[in-house]
């Protein structure tokens, strides 16, 4: 129901264009709604709320969405709305190949067009697995209907022989132990069974938890929503509350454009740094900010990195705790209460209140899980942006999750042109490699991958693993899983596939990095680089038809968010409402 504070009335609802007129087209809309068993009283003068549900039989992170959508509908009906579930592309990080990043923009396009083409007034976005959060938010941002994001929530902590397992992080850890011959076949099966034992996203501070927390920091979720474990009853209540709140947002006409200001994105960057976020946060945040009309760049991350320490003691930046512990310790509201001096507290959120009002009563219940600013787990932010002749447009490292000795390093390059060649060489017992080498994988960027796969955490050569080596410098134009750790330098831009400097490196060349100075350089003369550049040949395109063809012709580089050029806000005039004839 509306009241004197409402900015909308039933006659101005977007859905009324479909249902209200006394004409033949509206007759068809009403009769088909009745065909589905709905009476006119169920939609008349009520907001129609889309629920974009990314449930799928191939999406373990969203298994509970099949039933959770009913909780959202319950909330919508309680608040006087009319729910309309619209299935959307489900991007399973586990199963979809060659990489979900290839299809993030497809989900963004689908979300935008689903909302534009259907008789809906607002939307609840149901996502959580890595690319579903940015994909859904990108589309909703461009469409700019009232929207609220419902995070899937992290899974419960893993267990194996009394040891707490963290998804992703312990997969890499124990795989090295297996390669070293220290884990039997039987034990390995038990690790597989114990590392992911409930529905929900990765319970480490990987890309999933990073991006849902960023959605909350921007103001697009209910307070605390990003931290609730998927299996907790509180998650069910939160889903229903999303349904109730989105109906109110329609009458208030509270849209993403009002929420997603530049200051909101600056808040998101600050929160990401304090959390020990995934490196993928940079790409997705840049893309989303540009969709909202704000030119967020790598420089904004670098500024935040210098002043905001990591205070979330959650793996992989932390050494012990997981997202379940983070929730019990106070969750994201608790963390934000400790960095409030770095936040714009006047930013409006989906609650209709400011961020400052949302976290006014937030508390921290475990000072080791969520540290205070005087006792961080890493003195600077989670990510650092490096530039130099090897990455003129920048590259990224997560210094909070690598061995300190590699923060300043110089070593010879060992170059691989593709993943199969690297994979084959890594297991060669006679590979000419030392722990000081810099492993390089190229042709793995947005166009080269294609889609910039999570190949950036190159496996340490088996020869070195057996010697006890567990970290070394690895460099690529790929991404890596947010659950990963180690001295991995990622997102080198421009990528090698389009002729970036990484394409010119030869095995034996010396690579020098200095994280404190934020530099990375190839120690080769400009004369020699010019000679190599003249001899370089452009690779053949990856696709000759279909979505891949479109992708490789319109995808932007990592430093620009990997959005399609034609989807960015400044590309052309806004798309109007669809004609109804």
């Amino acid at each position: 129901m509306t009241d004197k504070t409402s900015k909308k009335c039933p006659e101005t609802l977007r859905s009324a264009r479909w249902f209200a007129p006394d004409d033949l087209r509206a007759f068809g809309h009403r009769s088909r709604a009745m065909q589905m068993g709905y009476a006119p009283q169920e939609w008349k003068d009520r907001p129609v709320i889309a629920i974009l549900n990314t449930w799928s039989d191939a999406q373990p992170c969203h298994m509970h969405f099949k039933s959770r959508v009913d909780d959202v509908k319950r909330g919508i009906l309680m608040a006087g709305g009319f729910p309309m579930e619209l299935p959307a592309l489900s991007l399973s990080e586990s199963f979809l190949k060659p990489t979900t990043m290839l299809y993030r923009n497809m989900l963004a396009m689908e979300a935008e067009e689903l909302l534009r083409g259907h008789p809906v007034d607002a939307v609840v976005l149901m996502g959580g697995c890595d690319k579903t959060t940015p994909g859904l938010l990108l589309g909703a941002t461009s469409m700019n209907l009232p929207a609220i994001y419902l995070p899937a929530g992290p899974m419960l902590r893993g267990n194996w022989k009394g040891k707490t397992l963290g998804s992703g992080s312990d997969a890499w850890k124990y795989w090295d132990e297996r390669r070293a011959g220290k884990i039997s076949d039987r034990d390995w099966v038990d690790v597989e069974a114990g590392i992911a034992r409930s529905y929900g996203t990765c319970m480490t501070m990987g890309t999933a938890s990073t991006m849902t927390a960023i959605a909350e920091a921007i103001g697009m979720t209910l307070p605390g929503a990003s931290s609730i474990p998927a299996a907790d009853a509180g998650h069910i209540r939160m889903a229903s509350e999303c349904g109730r709140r989105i109906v109110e947002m329609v009458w208030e006409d509270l849209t993403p454009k009002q929420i997603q200001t530049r200051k909101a994105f600056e808040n998101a960057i600050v929160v990401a740094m304090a959390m020990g976020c995934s490196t993928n946060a940079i790409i997705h945040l840049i893309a989303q900010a540009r969709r909202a009309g704000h030119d967020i760049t790598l420089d904004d991350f670098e500024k935040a990195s210098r002043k905001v320490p990591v205070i979330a003691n959650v793996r992989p930046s932390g050494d012990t705790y997981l997202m379940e512990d983070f929730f019990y310790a106070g969750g994201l509201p608790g963390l934000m209460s400790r960095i409030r001096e770095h936040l714009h507290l006047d930013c409006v959120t989906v609650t209709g209140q400011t961020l400052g009002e949302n976290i006014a009563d937030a508390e921290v219940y475990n000072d080791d899980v969520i540290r205070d600013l005087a006792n961080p787990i890493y003195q600077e932010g989670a990510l650092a942006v490096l530039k130099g002749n090897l990455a003129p447009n920048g590259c990224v490292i997560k210094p909070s999750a690598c061995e300190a000795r590699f923060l300043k390093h110089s070593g010879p390059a060992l170059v691989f042109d593709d993943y199969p060649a690297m994979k084959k060489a890594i297991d060669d017992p006679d590979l000419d490699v030392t722990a000081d080498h810099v492993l390089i994988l190229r042709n793995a960027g947005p166009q080269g991958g294609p889609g910039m796969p999570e190949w950036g955490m190159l496996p340490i050569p088996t020869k070195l693993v057996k010697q006890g080596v567990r970290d070394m410098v690895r460099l690529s134009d790929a991404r890596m899983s947010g659950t990963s750790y180690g001295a991995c330098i990622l997102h080198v831009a421009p990528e090698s596939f389009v002729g970036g400097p990484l394409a010119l490196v030869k095995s034996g060349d010396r690579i020098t990095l200095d994280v404190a100075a934020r530099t990375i350089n190839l120690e080769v003369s400009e004369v020699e680089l010019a000679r190599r550049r003249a001899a370089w040949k452009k690779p053949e395109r990856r696709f000759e038809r279909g979505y891949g063809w479109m992708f490789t012709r319109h995808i932007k580089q990592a430093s620009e968010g990997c959005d399609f050029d034609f989807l960015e806000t400044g590309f052309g005039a806004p798309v109007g409402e669809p004609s109804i004839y």
Side-chain angles (χ1 to χ4, degrees), residues 54-68:
T54 52
W55 174 86
S56 164
D57 268 336
Q59 178 55 283
C61 301
H62 299 178
M63 289 165 56
H64 53 316
F65 278 2
K66 194 171 188 176
S67 61
R68 201 68 87 241

Side-chain angles (χ1 to χ4, degrees), residues 380-532:
E380 290 192 345
L383 309 180
V385 177
L386 312 181
K387 291 186 178 180
N389 68 352
L390 193 54
N393 294 345
C395 58
V396 180
I397 188 172
K398 189 173 183 176
S400 61
C402 72
E403 292 187 15
R405 63 194 177 97
F406 291 121
L407 298 179
K408 188 171 185 178
H409 180 77
S410 184
L414 180 57
V415 181
F416 302 103
D417 285 322
D418 55 57
Y419 199 92
M422 181 274 296
K423 187 175 180 181
K424 180 179 179 181
I426 286 300
D427 291 327
D428 183 354
D430 299 319
L431 183 67
D432 185 13
V433 64
T434 69
D436 289 329
H437 269 85
V438 176
L439 300 183
I440 292 179
L441 175 65
R442 59 189 175 200
N443 298 316
Q447 294 208 31
M452 205 178 179
E454 291 185 343
W455 293 344
M457 188 189 172
L458 281 65
I460 295 170
T462 303
K463 169 183 174 181
L464 298 180
V465 169
K466 291 182 176 179
Q467 295 173 13
V469 175
R470 293 296 182 269
D471 198 8
M472 60 190 300
V473 177
R474 288 153 282 180
L475 175 67
S476 73
D477 44 18
R479 298 177 301 111
M480 78 173 181
S481 167
T483 65
S484 300
Y485 53 87
C488 301
I489 302 165
L490 314 150
H491 310 179
V492 172
E495 64 176 304
S496 56
F497 198 82
V498 300
L502 192 62
L504 311 179
V505 183
K506 292 184 177 182
S507 291
D509 290 346
R510 184 158 290 271
I511 307 288
T512 299
L513 71 132
D514 187 335
V515 173
R518 299 300 198 259
T519 58
I520 184 162
N521 287 292
L522 173 63
E523 306 297 337
V524 174
S525 71
E526 284 300 318
V527 173
E528 173 60 15
L529 289 177
R531 187 188 67 78
R532 293 183 189 181

Side-chain angles (χ1 to χ4, degrees), residues 213 216-217 221-228 271 275 311 326-327 329-340 343 345 355-365 370:
E216 182 173 338
T221 80
L222 295 173
S226 67
S227 311
I228 305 172
V271 168
M275 290 189 308
I311 64 170
F326 182 71
F327 171 67
L332 197 67
L335 178 138
M336 289 194 287
S337 73
R338 291 203 156 167
I339 57 171
R340 63 173 68 241
L343 297 171
L345 299 175
L355 178 65
E357 289 171 320
N358 287 349
I359 66 172
D361 298 323
E363 297 181 64
V364 173
Y365 309 112
I370 302 175

Side-chain angles (χ1 to χ4, degrees), residues 18 20-28 30 580:
W18 275 261
D22 185 12
D23 60 21
L24 184 60
R25 287 290 171 259
F27 162 83
R30 293 189 297 268
I580 302 177

